[in-house]
Amino acid sequence: MIEGLERATRVLALFSSDVPEWTVSDVCRELSLPKTTVWEYMQSMTALGLLRRTARGRYRLGWRAFQLGLRARMTSEISGPARVEMAKLVEGYSETVQLVSRYRGEVVYLEKISPRSGVHVNLTQVGERLPANCTAAGKVLLAELPPGEVRKIYADVEMERLTEKSIRSMAALEAELSAVKERGHALDVEETVEGMCCVAAPVSNEYGDVTWALSMSFLEYRLATHGEKYAQAVVDAAQRLCHPAERFRAGH
């Protein structure tokens, strides 16, 4: 991997809705890099439009980062079809629906549609990242990997805990992923947000690779009465998003 590109990507990954501004010193501490190195990178990234410097001498994501994000969304082969299926789910069940992908041990939220009224899940904003081991979508995407690859992901990265119910051990995660593969969907029962549940199902691309997951979030008390209905609706919608060849092989 090109070192400069890898470091620039690490800098960009720090910016989020929770922490939208960073100073050079903050980035140095967070990434354990020399101040002169970080300063040079952030100056270059500002000149390229990836970052912008505020009047207070802090940095935010720049116009080019915004432009690239929009282009990625507009040219995605899944975003358009997914929004159609997501809108149907929201209209039919009045719950929040998300489209998710994975990068190493994290999931990234690509699309999200919330009902006009009801509970809104702030953690799952478009562009945000969450630990894969805590989320239903993350479990779906990890379940498609060989066991050795899952262990490799967490060899260098500690599993994060978002609530007391989050999975933290490899043994527990592997058992959960085996169950996910068996039933064809995953559940998050208060593992990401207390009082909230989520169900997710896999979406494959034209090569048969599970690249995305479709998920629906809802209040925990609805799990007993609505859980199975929600799960089936999400699985059906996810299956419709799969490439036609994959739907044929699945018998749909």
Side-chain angles (χ1 to χ4, degrees):
M1 183 181 292
I2 301 173
E3 184 180 30
L5 182 59
E6 188 268 341
R7 285 181 173 177
T9 301
R10 289 175 64 196
V11 172
L12 290 172
L14 295 176
F15 293 84
S16 68
S17 56
D18 290 331
V19 189
E21 290 188 351
W22 290 79
T23 66
V24 171
S25 297
D26 291 338
V27 173
C28 291
R29 285 191 294 270
E30 187 70 20
L31 300 183
S32 300
L33 292 172
K35 190 169 185 178
T36 53
T37 300
V38 171
W39 186 87
E40 289 175 358
Y41 274 98
M42 294 181 76
Q43 296 309 300
S44 296
M45 293 166 74
T46 300
L48 292 170
L50 292 169
L51 298 178
R52 65 179 174 88
R53 193 170 186 270
T54 70
R56 296 190 301 160
R58 303 173 70 86
Y59 292 83
R60 284 179 171 262
L61 291 176
W63 68 269
R64 193 176 296 276
F66 180 74
Q67 181 188 60
L68 290 171
L70 283 178
R71 285 182 179 175
R73 197 173 186 184
M74 291 169 63
T75 59
S76 169
E77 70 271 42
I78 191 65
S79 287
R83 284 195 293 269
V84 173
E85 292 294 339
M86 292 166 69
K88 291 178 182 177
L89 286 173
V90 173
E91 182 180 359
Y93 300 96
S94 296
E95 303 288 3
T96 298
V97 182
Q98 298 102 176
L99 179 71
V100 184
S101 66
R102 180 188 63 85
Y103 177 68
R104 295 180 181 173
E106 294 183 318
V107 292
V108 182
Y109 290 84
L110 305 178
E111 298 287 345
K112 176 180 178 178
I113 301 180
S114 298
R116 293 181 180 179
S117 61
V119 177
H120 290 228
V121 187
N122 293 327
L123 279 179
T124 61
Q125 298 299 328
V126 171
E128 293 298 333
R129 308 188 309 275
L130 287 176
N133 59 293
C134 300
T135 65
K139 294 176 190 177
V140 161
L141 295 169
L142 289 173
E144 295 298 319
L145 300 176
E149 192 168 340
V150 175
R151 287 192 289 270
K152 185 177 179 180
I153 288 173
Y154 291 104
D156 301 320
V157 179
E158 183 179 357
M159 292 185 198
E160 293 186 47
R161 172 178 285 181
L162 297 180
T163 74
E164 288 300 314
K165 296 186 178 180
S166 300
I167 292 175
R168 283 293 302 276
S169 73
M170 180 55 63
L173 180 61
E174 288 183 330
E176 178 72 1
L177 298 184
S178 177
V180 169
K181 285 189 72 78
E182 180 70 23
R183 64 176 177 252
H185 68 271
L187 281 172
D188 151 19
V189 182
E190 298 188 284
E191 296 167 60
T192 303
V193 180
E194 291 183 5
M196 295 295 298
C197 290
C198 188
V199 60
V203 178
S204 58
N205 62 17
E206 60 182 310
Y207 304 107
D209 301 321
V210 174
T211 308
W212 311 281
L214 189 68
S215 69
M216 179 188 287
S217 300
F218 53 95
L219 290 169
E220 188 276 335
Y221 78 85
R222 292 179 180 156
L223 179 61
T225 55
H226 293 66
E228 290 187 11
K229 178 172 66 175
Y230 286 172
Q232 191 59 58
V234 171
V235 169
D236 289 346
Q239 194 62 58
R240 288 192 293 271
L241 286 171
C242 290
H243 191 267
E246 293 308 304
R247 292 203 299 268
F248 178 78
R249 278 194 282 271
H252 289 258

